[in-house]
Amino acid sequence: MRKIVYILFFMVAAVNAQTKMSIAESATLKAKVKAHAASVNTLLSDFTQYKHLDFLANDIETSGKLAFKSPNTVKWEYTRPFIYSVLFKNEKLFINDEGKKSNVDIGSNKMFKQLNSLIINSIKGDMFDDNEFDIVYFKKETNSEVHFSPKEDKFSKYIKTFHIIFNNEGHVVELKMIEPSDDYTRIVFSNRTINIALSDAIFTE
Amino acid sequence: MRYLLSSLCLLFVACGSYSKKQNLQIEKASTRSIQNLYFSDTSKDYVYKANIAIYDNDFSGIFIVKKIGEANHRIVFTTEMGNKIFDFSFINDTFKVNFILEDMDKAILINILKHDFKALIQEEIPVVTSYSLQDTLVYETTILNKKHFYFKTQQLDKIIRVGNGKEKVTFLFSEINDTIANQIRILHSNIKLNINLKSICMSVNNHNP
């Protein structure tokens, strides 16, 4: 019996490894992330994406490179296990699917516009909009984890919550998008470089 | 009068059965059922890079098939970035839409996909008549009340859904390795809908976090 109590105690302790931040702590984090996000003119990072579907034996792992140029040009390029890229540029979405090119005019499409700004904000980590999201802050060892739950039904139908993990410097190291079904997409960033000159060639459609 | 005769003739040919038109020879030794093993292993995650062209819309993404248990398959299509486009369950004879993107939530389209995917994953299919065509064995079957012909050489290469004696949908399986079809194409001849699937080799040391 005593053993069970110990086990339960340790389980509770383990769950509590992620603790809620105080108001002061969350304000500090927010200020740090916002200051960092504002200073980013260019960003280059590798990423690995894990698509988790509850019924699969393994997550579907894809990886590639992400490039961002202020104010709103972004390229997601998958290189493994297939070649595929999406480029948001000048209110257009350019797709290159293993050499097959197409584009979508997003100027008139509210959903794509939202998606574009969401991607940019999530890369930088600056999603602290209390009108759009219910926001909860956690401490996780040396990192911070913030949960953003969309308030709008139209949005929360697709993504229930975004979890963003920030390192000590306020950089995004991981982004997790959880669907209402609890399946999720987890993106882990690595080899991140900020404000180096990026050639225009990266952003040619 | 001659015109009438030839049109009647043409009409007759046009309405002839698919097996006659294709010169299929009836096999005496009949087979009771045929197997499609391409999605039959519960331990495998079947993951494909997919292109689905519906009328003038092209959707590309990741197409996932999982056999969850006996006569229980899940089929999910997501974008490359992981957003679900549709999520279907086939359990015995029931079909369930777990999720579908609002823009695609049309009964006609869902019904077409249901018929296509049912034929794609159905493992054991009772044979109505067996035929042969040179080196190919051809089996006439019925899936969801529609006539399907299965073409088998060394392995299952092709399924054709037939309506009014005409080919309506062709399923092509190629680059077959063991019981995995690395390339699958589903081509509709009466509507603008084509599905192209290319198997993605997932790394073995892929862990769940």
Side-chain angles (χ1 to χ4, degrees):
Chain A
M1 184 62 197
R2 193 182 279 172
K3 264 190 191 164
I4 294 176
V5 172
Y6 273 123
I7 290 169
L8 280 176
F9 177 79
F10 278 113
M11 274 173 71
V12 170
V15 169
N16 280 342
Q18 178 176 293
T19 49
K20 262 197 176 183
M21 277 186 191
S22 68
I23 292 171
E25 283 170 325
S26 63
T28 310
L29 173 73
K30 205 163 128 178
K32 195 195 274 179
V33 173
K34 274 183 172 287
H36 169 67
S39 74
V40 173
N41 288 316
T42 70
L43 187 154
L44 199 63
S45 174
D46 294 339
F47 70 86
T48 305
Q49 176 181 306
Y50 303 87
K51 178 67 195 174
H52 176 87
L53 294 166
D54 214 36
F55 59 87
L56 290 182
N58 292 303
D59 288 352
I60 299 166
E61 190 179 324
T62 48
S63 58
K65 270 189 191 319
L66 160 76
F68 165 75
K69 196 172 172 180
S70 190
N72 49 20
T73 308
V74 190
K75 187 179 185 182
W76 282 94
E77 185 177 23
Y78 293 83
T79 50
R80 271 167 60 142
F82 48 77
I83 310 274
Y84 176 90
S85 67
V86 277
L87 168 69
F88 289 92
K89 187 183 169 185
N90 304 332
E91 305 239 305
K92 271 194 173 176
L93 175 67
F94 300 91
I95 300 166
N96 188 339
D97 185 5
E98 296 194 315
K100 195 179 148 210
K101 293 182 180 182
S102 57
N103 64 68
V104 181
D105 203 332
I106 55 174
S108 57
N109 189 323
K110 198 183 159 214
M111 200 184 133
F112 272 123
K113 268 192 168 169
Q114 266 184 331
L115 181 70
N116 190 20
S117 62
L118 185 76
I119 287 175
I120 292 167
N121 293 339
S122 60
I123 297 164
K124 294 190 196 172
D126 188 3
M127 297 207 338
F128 302 99
D129 184 342
D130 289 303
N131 295 321
E132 263 192 77
F133 301 100
D134 285 316
I135 308 173
V136 191
Y137 301 80
F138 297 95
K139 281 188 278 194
K140 210 178 174 186
E141 291 159 19
T142 57
N143 290 338
S144 313
E145 181 168 324
V146 184
H147 297 182
F148 301 87
S149 306
K151 285 181 174 172
E152 214 183 310
D153 286 349
K154 251 180 139 179
F155 197 165
S156 60
K157 216 163 53 180
Y158 301 107
I159 305 288
K160 189 169 73 173
T161 318
F162 293 84
H163 292 182
I164 299 184
I165 300 179
F166 298 95
N167 65 11
N168 214 8
E169 295 156 285
H171 301 176
V172 178
V173 288
E174 197 179 311
L175 164 68
K176 192 166 164 184
M177 296 174 276
I178 303 164
E179 297 162 22
S181 64
D182 283 332
D183 288 333
Y184 61 81
T185 307
R186 192 168 74 100
I187 301 171
V188 179
F189 298 98
S190 58
N191 301 326
R192 187 184 163 110
T193 45
I194 293 159
N195 296 339
I196 52 158
L198 295 183
S199 121
D200 285 342
I202 296 177
F203 300 106
T204 36
E205 46 286 0
Chain B
M1 186 61 192
R2 193 187 283 172
Y3 274 121
L4 186 63
L5 271 181
S6 39
S7 357
L8 277 176
C9 246
L10 276 176
L11 198 69
F12 181 72
V13 172
C15 293
S17 81
Y18 180 78
S19 53
K20 283 212 178 96
K21 273 196 280 180
Q22 301 297 318
N23 280 323
L24 303 181
Q25 307 298 313
I26 292 188
E27 282 281 293
K28 288 213 177 89
S30 63
T31 312
R32 288 174 68 187
S33 69
I34 177 163
Q35 286 184 315
N36 170 1
L37 299 178
Y38 296 140
F39 299 101
S40 63
D41 187 344
T42 49
S43 72
K44 283 200 171 86
D45 295 337
Y46 297 96
V47 183
Y48 290 83
K49 175 80 167 68
N51 287 85
I52 301 184
I54 307 173
Y55 289 93
D56 294 321
N57 298 306
D58 277 333
F59 294 89
S60 84
I62 298 172
F63 187 86
I64 303 130
V65 183
K66 180 77 180 177
K67 184 181 176 187
I68 290 166
E70 212 41 60
N72 182 349
H73 284 83
R74 189 87 174 256
I75 295 186
V76 175
F77 181 46
T78 75
T79 64
E80 286 79 0
M81 297 177 99
N83 315 90
K84 269 186 201 155
I85 297 173
F86 56 69
D87 176 352
F88 301 142
S89 286
F90 290 86
I91 304 171
N92 294 313
D93 289 328
T94 62
F95 168 75
K96 195 179 155 216
V97 178
N98 303 310
F99 177 86
I100 189 157
L101 209 64
E102 228 166 62
D103 291 348
M104 285 182 90
D105 195 0
K106 310 264 186 316
I108 298 173
L109 177 63
I110 293 173
N111 196 43
I112 294 168
L113 295 175
K114 171 179 132 183
H115 279 87
D116 284 3
F117 299 150
K118 179 73 176 169
L120 187 69
I121 55 153
Q122 186 70 25
E123 246 175 82
E124 184 100 18
I125 313 103
V127 171
V128 180
T129 318
S130 307
Y131 303 92
S132 66
L133 177 73
Q134 288 153 352
D135 299 339
T136 311
L137 293 168
V138 184
Y139 303 96
E140 185 183 325
T141 67
T142 306
I143 299 173
L144 295 177
N145 298 319
K146 291 184 192 287
K147 201 179 269 190
H148 289 71
F149 287 84
Y150 280 64
F151 292 74
K152 200 174 166 187
T153 47
Q154 306 283 23
Q155 65 270 311
L156 176 63
D157 309 293
K158 186 161 78 170
I159 304 173
I160 290 182
R161 183 188 306 146
V162 171
N164 301 321
K166 283 186 196 150
E167 295 177 2
K168 298 280 185 199
V169 188
T170 305
F171 299 73
L172 297 169
F173 302 94
S174 55
E175 294 174 36
I176 295 153
N177 194 345
D178 199 7
T179 56
I180 304 246
N182 287 297
Q183 178 91 43
I184 300 175
R185 286 196 290 163
I186 305 174
L187 311 165
H188 285 254
S189 38
N190 55 346
I191 48 166
K192 277 189 179 174
L193 169 61
N194 290 320
I195 300 175
N196 251 309
L197 307 174
K198 212 167 115 191
S199 165
I200 296 175
C201 297
M202 303 308 296
S203 59
V204 196
N205 52 2
N206 182 0
H207 297 292
N208 265 323

